[in-house]
Amino acid sequence: MPSRGFRGCTVFDCFGAGQAVSQRLFAGASWRDRPDTRGRMFSAFAVVKELHEMMWHLLEAQQRTYDPELADDARELVASLASLTRRSVDELESLEIDGIRARVRPVLLEVSEEVRASYFADDGRMNPDLVPGADLAGTDLRGRRLCGADLRNALLIGADLRGCDLAGADLLGADLRGARVENADLSLALYLTGPQLAAAHGNRHTRVPTGVPVPRSWPSE
């Protein structure tokens, strides 16, 4: 994977899985060029995309942790996952993705807890509604304390986050479809990806993490 700088690596479509599968496993041909490979190509793509996404998050965890041992754990996992992406189609299809997730998840969670604690997320004053998996669809969150919030897998569909500061907020897997993030500061949010941002409504004043591009669909004026 390319270097990500502070955040890890330069964003690319599908975390680079499409290009990796096409170039390495199918000699640069697309499934449109070779329809007979469609099933195997899509199968390999699904696995490589998931591996790349986990690597993306681990690279960020490596940069954001204050613990050298945790950084080493993240670095070793990235190397391990990178080696898996170089396997054949048959080998990729036989991978136990659930088992790989089980190795990655504790590192991401530990870094999340560490970073969120630096924003005093464990001081007992965080809104009790702001929990992993919370259904916050359509909720007006303006004026809420969101720094350091644990919003993993939260439903934020259509939520109003305009002008909010989400520094240290864990957004791993959060559904941001239609969320209003105009003028919001997402620059130090945890585990935020390009596809999540592309699903939200932002503007030129929305601050995004280094290495994650501003969606082309957002107004530039």
Side-chain angles (χ1 to χ4, degrees), residues 137-155:
T139 302
D140 188 347
L141 295 170
R142 291 175 297 173
R144 300 270 195 101
R145 175 184 168 186
L146 298 176
C147 290
D150 192 348
L151 296 172
R152 283 175 296 119
N153 300 314
L155 294 178

Side-chain angles (χ1 to χ4, degrees), residues 148-172:
D150 192 348
L151 296 172
R152 283 175 296 119
N153 300 314
L155 294 178
L156 293 165
I157 301 170
D160 194 340
L161 294 160
R162 286 177 292 174
C164 291
D165 184 357
L166 286 101
D170 188 338
L171 295 175
L172 181 66

Side-chain angles (χ1 to χ4, degrees), residues 18 22 24 30 32 48 56 69 71-73 81 86 110 125 128 143 165 183 198 208-209:
S22 173
R24 192 182 65 79
S30 73
R32 293 184 179 84
V48 174
W56 168 270
E69 291 186 5
D72 287 341
D73 289 343
L81 268 57
R86 294 190 285 271
E110 192 168 350
R125 294 186 295 167
D165 184 357
N183 303 319
V208 305

Side-chain angles (χ1 to χ4, degrees), residues 173-186:
D175 192 338
L176 293 171
R177 286 176 294 168
R180 301 290 302 275
V181 295
E182 294 96 331
N183 303 319
D185 188 349
L186 301 163

Side-chain angles (χ1 to χ4, degrees), residues 6-81:
F6 172 71
R7 293 275 300 188
C9 69
T10 303
V11 134
F12 24 50
D13 292 343
C14 306
F15 301 96
Q19 183 178 9
V21 169
S22 173
Q23 295 296 323
R24 192 182 65 79
L25 296 175
F26 295 91
S30 73
W31 63 268
R32 293 184 179 84
D33 299 324
R34 296 175 53 191
D36 58 304
T37 67
R38 175 174 176 167
R40 301 194 76 207
M41 190 176 292
F42 282 17
S43 178
F45 167 78
V47 175
V48 174
K49 177 180 180 294
E50 186 139 12
L51 293 173
H52 276 211
E53 186 168 359
M54 285 188 275
M55 291 162 67
W56 168 270
H57 292 313
L58 286 165
L59 284 164
E60 179 177 1
Q62 179 183 327
Q63 295 290 336
R64 297 290 294 269
T65 183
Y66 307 107
D67 185 340
E69 291 186 5
L70 261 180
D72 287 341
D73 289 343
R75 187 179 301 108
E76 289 172 6
L77 279 169
V78 169
S80 176
L81 268 57

